[in-house]
């Protein structure tokens, strides 16, 4: 909600590991919440719940065109 209230329209999600239950639950909640408000512009990169993985995921996100207005990370370590 905070991202939307602040005007974000393009979203990024730095996920943990594919198939990891905690990651899948967080991603489903995030994607579901955005879909409720009609947002479909969501970019996803995987960071494997590590600091280095979060850095690599962000680099990949930066290379793929327009940057998101807001980025959500599946863990604090990746957000650092």
């Amino acid at each position: 909600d905070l991202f939307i209230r602040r005007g974000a329209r393009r979203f990024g999600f730095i996920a943990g590991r594919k198939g990891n239950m905690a990651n899948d639950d967080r991603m489903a909640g995030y994607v579901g919440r955005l879909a409720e408000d009609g947002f479909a512009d969501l970019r996803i990169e995987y960071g494997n719940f590590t600091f280095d993985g979060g850095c690599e995921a962000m680099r990949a996100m930066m290379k793929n065109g327009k940057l998101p207005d807001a980025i959500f990370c599946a863990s604090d370590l990746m957000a650092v």
Side-chain angles (χ1 to χ4, degrees):
D1 286 342
L2 177 63
F3 291 151
I4 294 168
R5 285 194 315 266
R6 289 190 174 180
R9 296 296 174 256
R10 290 184 316 275
F11 300 89
F13 184 83
I14 297 182
R17 254 178 246 107
K18 288 181 183 180
N20 175 281
M21 187 175 174
N23 176 73
D24 294 347
D25 287 347
R26 290 173 190 158
M27 191 160 49
Y30 187 68
V31 171
R33 177 64 183 95
L34 290 175
E36 286 176 12
D37 282 343
F39 293 102
D41 190 2
L42 175 65
R43 294 174 47 199
I44 299 171
E45 296 290 340
Y46 288 87
N48 297 318
F49 292 117
T50 67
F51 173 80
D52 290 336
C55 291
E56 288 299 316
M58 188 63 216
R59 283 187 197 102
M61 203 169 284
M62 291 170 66
K63 288 181 185 178
N64 293 330
K66 285 186 178 180
L67 285 175
D69 298 320
I71 298 171
F72 181 85
C73 296
S75 77
D76 290 343
L77 191 55
M78 292 188 301
V80 171

